[in-house]
Amino acid sequence: MKVQVASFCRTQLPRVSRTFALNIPLLPEPLDLAVTVAYLLCRIADTLEDESPGALHGALLDELGALVSLEPGWEARARSFARRARRALRDEVPPAEAELVSETSTVLETLASLPSWVHPPIARCVRTMTCGMNQIQRMHGGSGQVMGLPDLQATFMYCYYVAGVVGEMLTGLFVASSPRVAWREQRLMTRAPAFGRALQLTNILKDVREDLDRGSCWLPRDRMAAHGLTSSTLALPSLRANAVALMDELVAVARGELDVALEYSLALPVEEPGPRLFCLYPLFFAAATLDAVEGNPAVFEPEPVKIPRETVATLMRLTQERVDSDEALRALYASCSRASRSGVEAWS
C-alpha cells in the first residue's frame, strides 16, 4: 500500500507542475518524495483558494491545515474532506487538480509513511499557508475574490504566505536530511522567505491576465493607481502603455528578490548538488520569465507568456555544468537578461 500511495504522488506531480517535475527528481531519497508530498499538499491549498467559492474555501483551508498534523483519526476525516472539497470546486477546474483534491487522503497517507523528521516542516508550512490565505481573504477579499492588494507590503505578505513559507519548509527538510546543510542553517533561513517570494512574485506577474480572467488580482493597488490603473482597467488595450510601465516597475522588485534567492541557492554546499540544482532550476527559469515579461504588452493578452522549451533545456544544461562553481553560476545569472535579448546561445 505504501508503494501504491507513493506511486500516485510521483505520477500526479508532472500533471500539476511541469517545473517541479523537472527538479524534484534531482533530490536524494527520501527527500524527493517528501518534497513531492509537500508540493502536492500546497497545490491542494492553492486549488481550493483559486477554484472554490470564498464562502466555502475558508473552512476547507482551515480543515486542510489541521489534517496535516495527522492527529488520531485523520484517515476518516481526510476521506470526508476530500469528498466535500471536490464538490466545492468550480466546474472549470483543471482535471488534474480536481483529481489531486479528490485524492487528498492518498497524499496524506504518503506523508504518514515518511520518516518522522519530514513531518514538522511540512505541517508547519501547510498550516501557515492555509491560515495566511484565509487572512488575506478576510482582510482584502470582501465577499468575493481579491481584486488587488493595498500596497507592495501586502503583496509581499501574500507571497510569503503562499511561497515564502515553502522556502522555510524546504530549508527545514534540507537541514534535517544533511549534516553538510545543517551547519549553514542560519545563513539559509534568513534568505529562505525571499527564495519563495521571488518565485511567487514572478508567477503573479506572468499570470496577471489569467488571474484577472478568473476574477483575482494580486498586484498592489497603490502602484496601479500611480500608473492610472485599477484591476478593472489593467487589461484595457487603451491603457496598455500604463500597464507595461507598471509591470516593468514590479519586474524590478521581483529581480531584487531573485538576487536574494540566488544567494540562498549558493549557500547550499557544493557537496549537495541535488538541493542546489533543485533551487537553481526554478531560479533561472524565473530570471528568464521576468525578461520575457519586461516591456512586453503581450502579458496582458489571453495567450500566456512562456519561455521557450529550448530556453528551459539550455538553462538546465548550463546549470548542471556549473553547479559546483559559484562564480560560474553568478556569471550565468548576470547574463540571463542580456541573453533574453540576443538568444540563448549567449549563455553558452
Side-chain angles (χ1 to χ4, degrees):
M1 179 59 71
K2 290 182 179 180
V3 173
Q4 290 177 350
V5 296
S7 176
F8 169 81
C9 292
R10 295 186 191 278
T11 302
Q12 196 70 11
L13 178 65
R15 298 187 64 212
V16 294
S17 174
R18 290 184 303 165
T19 298
F20 285 96
L22 293 173
N23 65 346
I24 288 179
L26 300 169
L27 296 171
E29 295 182 349
L31 190 58
D32 61 335
L33 184 55
V35 175
T36 297
V37 168
Y39 175 82
L40 294 178
L41 289 169
C42 293
R43 190 57 181 263
I44 290 168
D46 188 58
T47 300
L48 292 174
E49 181 190 45
D50 288 344
E51 307 289 351
S52 64
L56 294 176
H57 77 221
L60 291 170
L61 287 170
D62 284 342
E63 193 169 352
L64 178 63
L67 280 170
V68 292
S69 296
L70 302 177
E71 297 293 338
W74 68 264
E75 295 94 340
R77 292 195 299 273
R79 289 191 292 271
S80 173
F81 167 86
R83 290 191 296 270
R84 288 180 283 109
R86 176 62 186 90
R87 288 197 298 269
L89 300 180
R90 65 189 183 103
D91 294 339
E92 299 82 3
V93 63
E97 295 184 19
E99 182 181 3
L100 177 60
V101 170
S102 297
E103 294 293 335
T104 301
S105 58
T106 303
V107 181
L108 288 169
E109 188 175 348
T110 310
L111 174 63
S113 73
L114 287 164
S116 59
W117 55 266
V118 164
H119 299 169
I122 294 178
R124 178 191 177 275
C125 174
V126 177
R127 285 196 304 268
T128 303
M129 179 179 292
T130 53
C131 287
M133 286 176 170
N134 275 336
Q135 179 179 326
I136 293 293
Q137 181 66 38
R138 287 193 301 269
M139 292 173 63
H140 307 296
S143 59
Q145 296 290 89
V146 174
M147 290 304 293
L149 294 166
D151 49 33
L152 191 59
Q153 183 179 359
T155 297
F156 266 45
M157 177 179 294
Y158 173 73
C159 289
Y160 171 75
Y161 282 136
V162 300
V165 293
V166 176
E168 294 172 344
M169 178 267 296
L170 290 169
T171 305
L173 293 175
F174 293 162
V175 165
S177 67
S178 168
R180 294 191 186 97
V181 179
W183 71 272
R184 302 188 181 200
E185 180 175 7
Q186 184 175 0
R187 184 178 170 192
L188 288 163
M189 274 298 185
T190 58
R191 296 168 173 82
F195 176 80
R197 285 196 309 261
L199 302 184
Q200 183 63 27
L201 189 53
T202 299
N203 284 338
I204 287 174
L205 299 180
K206 172 180 69 73
D207 298 334
V208 62
R209 177 57 189 265
E210 181 182 344
D211 287 340
L212 286 170
D213 289 345
R214 189 187 286 121
S216 298
C217 180
W218 307 104
L219 302 185
R221 289 195 296 267
D222 65 339
R223 300 318 308 152
M224 286 192 280
H227 291 272
L229 298 163
T230 67
S231 59
S232 61
T233 64
L234 189 57
L236 290 179
S238 60
L239 295 174
R240 194 54 44 88
N242 306 53
V244 170
L246 166 69
M247 195 63 57
D248 289 352
E249 177 185 325
L250 296 176
V251 164
V253 173
R255 284 201 176 110
E257 290 289 278
L258 209 58
D259 290 345
V260 183
L262 176 65
E263 297 308 314
Y264 173 88
S265 303
L266 298 184
L268 292 163
V270 296
E271 297 86 0
E272 295 286 356
R276 267 202 159 205
L277 287 171
F278 171 88
C279 294
L280 289 166
Y281 276 11
L283 186 152
F284 283 116
F285 298 161
T289 298
L290 290 175
D291 291 333
V293 167
E294 185 178 19
N296 187 358
V299 75
F300 296 101
E301 299 295 338
E303 186 68 24
V305 171
K306 297 180 180 179
I307 56 175
R309 289 184 178 181
E310 57 268 25
T311 299
V312 171
T314 299
L315 285 171
M316 289 170 60
R317 174 177 60 81
L318 295 175
T319 305
Q320 289 171 1
E321 292 172 357
R322 293 157 171 76
V323 67
D324 59 353
S325 170
D326 288 2
E327 181 180 3
L329 289 168
R330 290 184 193 280
L332 177 60
Y333 179 75
S335 72
C336 278
S337 183
R338 294 193 300 274
S340 71
R341 294 168 175 81
S342 58
V344 294
E345 63 274 5
W347 294 330
S348 301

